[in-house]
Amino acid sequence: MNVQVERDVTAARRRIPFERVVLVLQGGGALGAYQAGVYEALAEAGINPDWIAGVSVGAINGAIIAGNPPNSRIDRMREFWAQVTAGGLWPCFDDLRLNVARGDTARNIFNQISAGIAMASGAKGFFTARPMGPWLQPAGTIEATSFYDTGDLKHTLERLVDFDRLNGGATRFSAGAVNVRTGNFVYFDTTTHTIRPEHVMASGALPPGLPAIEIEGEHYWDGGYMGNPAIFPLIYGCESSDVVSVHINPLERPELPRTASEILNRINEISFNSSLMREMRAINFVTKLIDDGKVNGDGLRRLLVHSIAADEVMVKLGVSSKMNADWEFLLHLHEAGRSYTEAWIAANFDRLGRESTTDIRAQYL
């Protein structure tokens, strides 16, 4: 998609047709580089979120956005994604990849190779492989419950996120996680919590690869198991009317899975999209109650739902792509995010603040 919008379409040149906007970011590992491109295009068009709600890598991206002033957010996002790259494939593969891996099949092969490298050695500034597998560690230790150490991610967040700014309230921030003991979903929100790196890490603690994160005596796993992302807090008492959801897990695939790995990938997509499907149905139900005059609006308001998705790109990627930290692949996703968002802005900018640009009934019901 090569639709372009003028680079000077900013808040200074064009009236923003809405008062407040929520940016909702899904989890999906390396596919989160797509979100970085989305935000870059939104920011250049003067669309700056008042509230960012994210899960897993969406929480990491969201924390970087909310925890930096607008004029440095894009640079910090680029710095994060440049850091976590595996530095490219082994040198002997680089020329082959650039000259041969242009089709979808070839790209998926190289995705698997790069993902294998990341799984063996880790991703710089994110996680490192433990020297011994968890089955060789004493039961009950953190080493026995995960293959990787995420201590590097804490240092990365402390370096790239100003947590005093994030907690200052200029941009509301929420990170979703699951309580391991109770199974309940929790949003660590700047209106109810003082957010620290551990809250963001908890949102992306995907077992058994990554360890659970302990916060005030409770342990938390990746929020995507219960809400990817969770929309329900936006329904109750939300001051924003426009909700922009950035999808990186395709809802539909045109073909049936043909291999065991494709089956596992599709199971993962369906499972992590299930909560989104349920909550979009809830939004549709609340909207109908409002339209029918059956609620008076106390604590509820009409949400205008927008979706920026690149399913045409994502359906071509296998499960290994979520672990692919190769720089060229991340750039590919970033440019896709930017391109699709520029096209979405060109088609829908004047509808923001007035109506939903996503047909919930057609897409989710």
Side-chain angles (χ1 to χ4, degrees), residues 152-196:
D152 286 352
L153 178 58
K154 181 178 180 180
H155 299 315
T156 296
L157 291 169
E158 289 173 337
R159 182 170 56 84
L160 296 179
V161 178
D162 181 344
F163 282 91
D164 289 336
R165 170 180 284 272
L166 185 147
N167 288 294
T171 301
R172 184 174 175 180
F173 171 75
S174 306
V178 176
N179 186 306
V180 177
R181 185 180 58 82
T182 67
N184 290 330
F185 183 88
V186 58
Y187 249 143
F188 298 118
D189 190 289
T190 50
T191 64
T192 56
H193 296 77
T194 298
I195 304 298
R196 308 310 306 166

Side-chain angles (χ1 to χ4, degrees), residues 83-356:
Q83 175 181 280
V84 301
T85 179
L89 299 176
W90 294 312
C92 60
F93 284 114
D94 282 346
D95 290 340
L96 182 63
R97 177 195 59 198
L98 294 174
N99 294 323
V100 177
R102 299 182 182 277
D104 297 330
T105 300
R107 179 176 286 118
N108 275 325
I109 292 174
F110 281 92
N111 282 350
Q112 293 175 31
I113 296 173
S114 184
I117 296 172
M119 292 180 67
S121 59
K124 184 178 179 182
F126 200 144
F127 60 87
T128 56
R130 299 191 188 279
M132 292 190 295
W135 51 85
L136 299 176
Q137 305 290 348
T141 64
I142 191 171
E143 292 81 6
T145 60
S146 59
F147 287 89
Y148 302 100
D149 184 325
T150 54
D152 286 352
L153 178 58
K154 181 178 180 180
H155 299 315
T156 296
L157 291 169
E158 289 173 337
R159 182 170 56 84
L160 296 179
V161 178
D162 181 344
F163 282 91
D164 289 336
R165 170 180 284 272
L166 185 147
N167 288 294
T171 301
R172 184 174 175 180
F173 171 75
S174 306
V178 176
N179 186 306
V180 177
R181 185 180 58 82
T182 67
N184 290 330
F185 183 88
V186 58
Y187 249 143
F188 298 118
D189 190 289
T190 50
T191 64
T192 56
H193 296 77
T194 298
I195 304 298
R196 308 310 306 166
E198 290 79 7
H199 296 93
V200 182
M201 295 169 66
S203 183
L206 185 67
L210 308 184
I213 301 298
E214 183 178 358
I215 300 173
E216 297 180 356
E218 295 286 355
H219 290 76
Y220 296 91
W221 276 337
D222 192 302
Y225 286 111
M226 296 289 288
N228 192 29
I231 306 293
F232 70 87
L234 311 181
I235 300 176
Y236 300 97
C238 178
E239 296 180 359
S240 302
S241 59
D242 286 88
V243 177
V244 180
S245 179
V246 183
H247 295 182
I248 53 179
N249 295 293
L251 295 173
E252 297 183 11
R253 284 188 175 269
E255 299 179 355
L256 291 174
R258 297 169 296 175
T259 66
S261 63
E262 289 181 357
I263 290 172
L264 291 175
N265 185 44
R266 190 58 184 148
I267 290 173
N268 177 275
E269 290 173 345
I270 292 173
S271 299
F272 275 71
N273 278 328
S274 61
S275 60
L276 176 66
M277 301 286 285
R278 291 193 300 270
E279 293 192 340
M280 284 298 184
R281 293 184 178 113
I283 290 175
N284 182 73
F285 176 72
V286 171
T287 300
K288 189 174 188 305
L289 290 179
I290 294 173
D291 290 343
D292 294 344
K294 295 181 179 179
V295 293
N296 59 15
D298 291 341
L300 296 174
R301 65 178 298 169
R302 181 188 303 276
L303 292 181
L304 305 181
V305 179
H306 316 282
S307 174
I308 302 178
D311 284 1
E312 297 91 340
V313 174
M314 300 304 178
V315 295
K316 298 175 182 178
L317 304 177
V319 65
S320 61
S321 63
K322 294 182 179 180
M323 285 287 291
N324 183 1
D326 178 65
W327 181 239
E328 295 297 328
F329 176 66
L330 299 181
L331 282 178
H332 167 69
L333 292 173
H334 177 276
E335 290 307 310
R338 184 183 180 93
S339 176
Y340 273 77
T341 304
E342 288 175 342
W344 181 83
I345 292 171
N348 298 299
F349 189 92
D350 292 331
R351 299 172 65 189
L352 299 180
R354 297 184 175 90
E355 60 182 324
S356 294

